[in-house]
Each structure stands twice: as C-alpha cells, then as structure tokens.
Amino acid sequence: MSDTDDPDNVLVFRNPAGQPVAVPDDVVTEAERAYRCYMLNIGGKSWQEIAELENYPSAGAAKYDVDRYMEEARSLVVEASQQKMLVREVSRLDFLQDRIWPGVQAGSLAAVKEVRGIIMDRVRLIEAIALLKHLEGGRSHNTVVIGATSGSG
C-alpha cells in the first residue's frame, strides 16, 4: 500500500464554502517543499544551502518559492480576519437593533431613525462580506490541514 492509499493520512483543502477539495499530489509536494525551505531558512540555512538540499536550480528560485508560499499564507489570514470582523460587526448591529426595537414598537421616532441607520449599516457590511466571498471564489488555494485521522487503520 502506498502513502496515498493509506486511509490514516489525510489532506484537506477547503473552499470558501468549507467543502473539501481534492488536491493532486504534486501540489501537496510543492507546498511541503516550500514549508521545509522556510523552516530551513529560519533555522539559519542560506538560500544557497537550501537550494542544494531541496534540489532547486538556484538560491533565487528557492527564495522565490518561499516568498510566494508566505504571501499566499498572509493573504489567507488577512481574508479570514476581514470576514470574521465583518460578521462580528453585523452581529453587533443585530444586538443593537434588538435593544432599540421596543422603542420602534412603541412609536418612538428617534428609535425608528436609529433602527433605520442600523439597517443601512448592516446592508453595507453584508455587501462587503459578499464582495470578499466573490473575491475568494476566484482563488484556487485555501487553508490546508494536514494530519492523521483518529480511526483505527
């Protein structure tokens, strides 16, 4: 049985909807290679040493691969953070509207104006979330989780 046939080895890439996506072995191998190079570099190895260890044609090629890997990781973190922040803000607006709603039901003009403003803020945030999701949809990479399953093999 090869490593790829082993049910205890799990690789999961998830799309923006959270669904698992199958990943070719060569993609996994390149990500692992870039990560190894990154670890070697922060461990004190020169780019030339890393290129020789990982069979890159040059030190520049090894560095480029790691830089690209790190940029992808940074952009994923930024996107996830932005989306979490926007969702949190929508929840806060929901909370505020719930607190003010009794005043609307009682006929308070000030409460009506306040709730209208909250609704408009929520619409803008929801549009921003939709834009982020649309932008993420054009990406072919997402969060990678590598680990072992907890079942018996």
Side-chain angles (χ1 to χ4, degrees):
M1 177 187 291
S2 74
D3 284 346
T4 56
D5 296 331
D6 185 353
D8 289 336
N9 290 330
V10 177
L11 171 66
V12 179
F13 278 68
R14 298 209 178 262
N15 66 17
Q19 301 162 325
V21 176
V23 180
D25 286 342
D26 59 338
V27 172
V28 173
T29 302
E30 284 305 308
E32 289 173 348
R33 183 182 189 204
Y35 177 73
R36 280 193 312 271
C37 292
Y38 167 75
M39 294 305 291
L40 288 168
N41 183 254
I42 64 171
K45 297 278 186 199
S46 72
W47 289 115
Q48 186 58 47
E49 291 171 309
I50 293 167
E52 291 168 9
L53 286 169
E54 291 291 334
N55 298 316
Y56 279 93
S58 68
K63 183 178 182 328
Y64 174 82
D65 210 21
V66 170
D67 288 346
R68 183 177 46 89
Y69 171 80
M70 294 305 294
E71 184 56 37
E72 288 175 1
R74 273 190 291 275
S75 80
L76 288 172
V77 169
V78 167
E79 287 172 12
S81 296
Q82 287 172 337
Q83 189 162 6
K84 283 181 185 177
M85 184 268 309
L86 291 171
V87 168
R88 183 177 54 241
E89 293 306 317
V90 168
S91 294
R92 288 177 176 165
L93 291 172
D94 290 343
F95 174 81
L96 289 172
Q97 183 174 326
D98 287 345
R99 294 288 186 203
I100 298 169
W101 196 251
V104 171
Q105 290 175 318
S108 166
L109 185 57
V112 169
K113 286 181 180 180
E114 192 65 35
V115 167
R116 184 181 181 284
I118 289 170
I119 290 169
M120 297 309 294
D121 289 343
R122 185 183 300 105
V123 167
R124 284 189 291 274
L125 286 173
I126 290 171
E127 287 173 350
I129 291 168
L131 177 61
L132 277 175
K133 286 184 179 183
H134 174 74
L135 293 173
E136 286 176 359
R139 296 190 181 275
S140 60
H141 63 278
N142 285 297
T143 305
V144 179
V145 179
I146 301 176
T149 60
S150 59
S152 61

